[in-house]
Amino acid sequence: MSEDKKILYIDGNPVEFTNEKNLLEVIRKAGIEVPTLCYRPDLTLYGSCRMCVVEIEGRGIQSSCTMPPEAGLKVHINTERTRRVRKISLELLLANHNRECTMCEKSEDCELQSLAKKYGIRDIRFEKQKELVPIDASSPSIVRDVNKCILCGACVRACEEIQGLGILGIAKRGSNSVVTPAFNKTMPEVDCVYCGQCVAVCPVGALTIKNDVEQVWNEITNPKKKVVAQIAPAVRVAIGEAFGFNPGEDTTGKIVAALRKIGFDRVYDTNFAADLTIMEEGTEFVNRFKNGGKLPLFTSCCPAWIKFAETKYPELLPYLSTCKSPQQMFGSVTKKLISEEFGIDRKDLTVVSIMPCTAKKAEAKRPEFAVDDDPDINYVLTTQEAVRMIKEAGIDFQHVMCELPDNPLGLYSGAGVIFGTSGGVLEAALRTAYKIITGTELESIDITPARGLDFVKEFSVDIAGNNLKFTVANTLSAADKVIKDILAGKADYAMVEVMACPGGCIAGGGQPVSCKNPNIKKQRSEGLYCCDQKLAIRRSHENQDVQTVYEKWLGAPNSEEAHHNLHTHYLNRKETSYMNVGKQLKTT
């Protein structure tokens, strides 16, 4: 469509439009909120919920999300007919919906509940046709309740379009339609990577985060336990949205204070472990580069990406960094050092992660991240769950006085902060790898080509006379394309960063919902880079507390002791993956 402005009329008022992809976006640009349950700006158009209907002169009732804007259209938003259609649509959706709202994870944050209240729906004229079916709570990260599904298709589109996985689909027809994994399997029985992007776009309580809040409260109130928390980079620029702060605003000090008021014995920052990860991963890259090791080196901090690689591309496992993620490095260090400081057995130390990510819940349960059946990370709370705990504790987050994280695992560099956004891990690694290889610092510490929300970013850096190519992929569908190019010999990279969520951890499945406003991801990302700019140290190798941990315990990066505590291995899951079994079934 031409960039030249054109005019249509909304309730008699002229409204200019340019390249908006549908009428709904034009209406919203004009400051009018038309309700919708199935529309998500980053996903394909679907038009199933019939909530965004408008009346167009000469064309009657139309769904605004599927209709392109045209010059001269005369659009009416809240006519008697449009209001009637919306109310009937709501009643039909509510008829077979499990309406136990007070016990729903999405209560007060449910779009269907909000619209029912907005349109004054008090009675449902239609009889319930479906019996309740069991809830699938078998996943460590995601709970699926089809009794609350409204068949908006957002989760199906997110899984296919963002991740390229197609784990969920709509089965059966008519009133028997249901969103389900193939053959009605549970989530762990298929190749779900637990990224939570399906949860992020679900407007109701059909897909929710597995809630560990009550278990954490039980640990905090147990006098026999010492309970410590770590705060991930992306949490600090998103959690404030639930308390009236702008997206991207750094609320680290308030989070620390709130967690202490809740009852955590110590509050640390995952950024410290991110710096530790860079020391290990940067050194690993340098060793491979100098000694002819397997390149490209793929980053390993995203558990959803790791499970995807294990399932679909096990031939790449030797190319993955063996470093544990910052979450798991923190758990390993904390269970060792802090339990000794408290003078307690590691099993009496409970480590809780505050993460933007639902896949981190599954990562913490991997058996390789435990010692004598005691997990390095006992519980993972998403940003949303942390918000719930703060509110449940009655803490005035807006006005709580800021506090600093505890030491020695609280000091961090700017490199650790930017781990939370796409491109940040690779940029942080290069800041340190360049120093190790050349003995000098990068002339420009800001590697801007690695930044931004593009799904794939490619750039080159000259290191000691070698023009090395790097790439960043965020979303698994983007990673899949990069991998295919590498395997086909079309790309020659030294290092590849992969994050499963669009924009990185800032848009993780456990963050406050951002799917209806793509600008939020940009604001959160900019917030992390702003934190980086303000810090006195911006390179991981400048973190003196990290150096102290090496001196007192680990020896040196990539040493035998460091490998034992900070590195891991991966599993070939292809033979047992649902994807592979499905292919075998088709050929037999």
Side-chain angles (χ1 to χ4, degrees):
M1 183 179 291
S2 170
E3 291 292 330
D4 295 336
K5 291 182 179 179
K6 300 177 183 179
I7 295 177
L8 53 77
Y9 299 87
I10 299 176
D11 292 332
N13 299 309
V15 175
E16 293 181 340
F17 67 94
T18 53
N19 60 350
E20 288 77 16
K21 65 181 178 182
N22 55 34
L23 186 56
L24 176 61
E25 290 189 355
V26 179
I27 295 170
R28 287 180 170 175
K29 189 177 75 169
I32 303 170
E33 182 57 37
V34 175
T36 180
L37 289 166
C38 68
Y39 179 67
R40 296 290 183 264
D42 291 338
L43 302 178
T44 54
L45 304 178
Y46 199 60
S48 67
C49 72
R50 312 307 294 173
M51 289 303 300
C52 69
V53 293
V54 295
E55 193 165 359
I56 300 176
E57 292 185 18
R59 301 192 187 184
I61 297 292
Q62 302 286 338
S63 60
S64 60
C65 73
T66 58
M67 186 171 188
E70 297 176 23
L73 285 180
K74 295 180 179 179
V75 182
H76 300 280
I77 308 298
N78 292 304
T79 66
E80 185 276 332
R81 291 181 68 194
T82 59
R83 287 183 57 79
R84 177 158 47 86
V85 169
R86 290 173 195 154
K87 285 188 174 183
I88 291 173
S89 296
L90 282 171
E91 285 188 66
L92 288 168
L93 290 173
L94 288 163
N96 275 317
H97 189 77
N98 182 352
R99 299 191 294 276
E100 294 289 345
C101 294
T102 56
M103 293 179 287
C104 179
E105 284 288 320
K106 292 278 282 191
S107 187
E108 297 186 355
D109 193 32
C110 170
E111 295 176 40
L112 181 63
Q113 182 187 52
S114 176
L115 288 175
K117 182 177 180 180
K118 179 178 179 180
Y119 282 89
I121 306 296
R122 297 291 179 265
D123 298 308
I124 309 298
R125 292 171 289 171
F126 309 107
E127 291 186 5
K128 194 177 186 70
Q129 299 295 317
K130 296 180 179 179
E131 297 295 324
L132 294 180
V133 298
I135 296 171
D136 177 13
S138 57
S139 161
S141 304
I142 298 167
V143 176
R144 187 172 64 93
D145 185 354
V146 298
N147 305 297
K148 296 172 183 172
C149 180
I150 60 172
L151 297 173
C152 69
C155 59
V156 177
R157 286 174 284 151
C159 191
E160 178 59 42
E161 295 169 20
I162 295 175
Q163 306 298 31
L165 294 175
I167 298 300
L168 297 169
I170 298 180
K172 303 181 182 179
R173 295 183 179 181
S175 62
N176 293 318
S177 297
V178 61
V179 172
T180 177
F183 304 110
N184 202 32
K185 296 287 186 180
T186 63
M187 299 294 267
E189 289 178 315
V190 294
D191 294 331
C192 176
V193 297
Y194 309 128
C195 68
Q197 289 304 305
C198 58
V199 176
V201 298
C202 181
V204 291
L207 289 161
T208 55
I209 299 165
K210 196 155 197 178
N211 192 328
D212 291 310
V213 168
E214 197 59 34
Q215 292 95 314
V216 173
W217 273 119
N218 290 339
E219 295 292 302
I220 290 172
T221 55
N222 184 345
K224 297 180 180 179
K225 294 293 185 76
K226 293 290 185 181
V227 186
V228 302
Q230 61 167 319
I231 307 164
V235 173
R236 72 203 63 222
V237 290
I239 195 171
E241 294 164 27
F243 300 100
F245 290 87
N246 293 323
E249 193 165 348
D250 180 15
T251 57
T252 306
K254 291 182 178 292
I255 302 170
V256 172
L259 294 179
R260 287 204 182 109
K261 287 181 180 295
I262 284 171
F264 285 92
D265 294 290
R266 296 282 179 86
V267 181
Y268 299 109
D269 203 309
T270 313
N271 289 342
F272 172 89
D275 281 336
L276 194 60
T277 303
I278 286 304
M279 295 305 297
E280 292 298 317
E281 195 168 69
T283 303
E284 182 181 14
F285 168 72
V286 171
N287 289 340
R288 293 195 189 197
F289 171 69
K290 287 184 173 180
N291 301 319
K294 291 185 179 297
L295 294 176
L297 177 69
F298 284 83
T299 59
S300 58
C301 57
C302 172
W305 147 242
I306 291 298
K307 188 166 187 285
F308 176 77
E310 290 178 322
T311 303
K312 190 172 182 180
Y313 292 107
E315 63 269 35
L316 289 182
L317 297 187
Y319 294 86
L320 266 63
S321 167
T322 60
C323 292
K324 295 179 181 179
S325 71
Q327 168 179 273
Q328 296 306 140
M329 282 198 184
F330 178 88
S332 181
V333 171
T334 302
K335 284 281 185 168
K336 168 71 175 175
L337 300 185
I338 304 304
S339 62
E340 289 180 358
E341 181 184 336
F342 279 127
I344 59 175
D345 188 276
R346 63 170 279 147
K347 291 186 177 180
D348 291 325
L349 178 67
T350 299
V351 181
V352 179
S353 299
I354 313 295
M355 293 282 146
C357 174
T358 51
K360 288 292 181 184
K361 289 177 179 281
E363 179 187 51
K365 294 183 182 299
R366 289 181 65 132
E368 57 265 35
F369 298 140
V371 176
D372 297 329
D373 296 324
D374 176 53
D376 290 336
I377 300 295
N378 297 94
Y379 298 98
V380 176
L381 298 180
T382 61
T383 311
Q384 292 183 35
E385 291 169 281
V387 167
R388 181 170 302 181
M389 282 194 81
I390 293 168
K391 289 182 176 180
E392 189 178 334
I395 296 168
D396 183 358
F397 193 83
Q398 273 272 0
H399 299 101
V400 69
M401 295 295 292
C402 293
E403 296 179 11
L404 293 172
D406 287 294
N407 284 322
L409 310 181
L411 181 68
Y412 54 87
S413 75
V417 177
I418 61 176
F419 252 65
T421 186
S422 173
V425 177
L426 188 49
E427 179 172 350
L430 285 173
R431 289 181 186 180
T432 291
Y434 189 93
K435 169 70 173 180
I436 297 173
I437 294 173
T438 67
T440 60
E441 303 290 0
L442 266 170
E443 185 175 340
S444 176
I445 195 171
D446 297 322
I447 306 177
T448 54
R451 301 181 179 184
L453 300 178
D454 291 341
F455 292 128
V456 177
K457 293 163 284 187
E458 297 180 348
F459 60 96
S460 299
V461 177
D462 185 277
I463 303 180
N466 299 281
N467 186 38
L468 301 181
K469 296 179 181 178
F470 302 90
T471 192
V472 175
N474 66 106
T475 74
L476 296 179
S477 58
D480 192 61
K481 294 175 183 176
V482 169
I483 291 167
K484 285 176 179 175
D485 283 346
I486 292 171
L487 294 178
K490 297 179 181 178
D492 181 21
Y493 302 117
M495 192 170 181
V496 179
E497 177 195 303
V498 180
M499 290 190 181
C501 295
C505 305
I506 51 167
Q511 293 278 67
V513 174
S514 63
C515 59
K516 293 197 289 185
N517 183 1
N519 290 328
I520 285 180
K521 291 195 284 286
K522 182 180 179 182
Q523 291 171 286
R524 291 174 182 171
S525 180
E526 289 174 347
L528 291 179
Y529 287 120
C530 184
C531 292
D532 171 35
Q533 290 281 349
K534 291 179 179 178
L535 285 167
I537 58 172
R538 299 183 60 196
R539 302 172 179 88
S540 297
H541 54 274
E542 296 173 339
N543 187 333
Q544 290 303 310
D545 282 2
V546 167
Q547 298 299 337
T548 299
V549 167
Y550 277 111
E551 291 169 8
K552 291 186 175 181
W553 180 37
L554 297 172
N558 279 210
S559 67
E560 184 177 345
E561 188 69 21
H563 262 276
H564 176 71
N565 291 281
L566 305 180
H567 291 248
T568 187
H569 61 279
Y570 310 107
L571 304 175
N572 182 344
R573 302 178 189 271
K574 190 167 187 176
E575 293 304 316
T576 58
S577 79
Y578 189 73
M579 187 187 309
N580 191 57
V581 171
K583 289 178 181 177
Q584 292 175 355
L585 287 172
K586 289 178 183 178
T587 58
T588 56

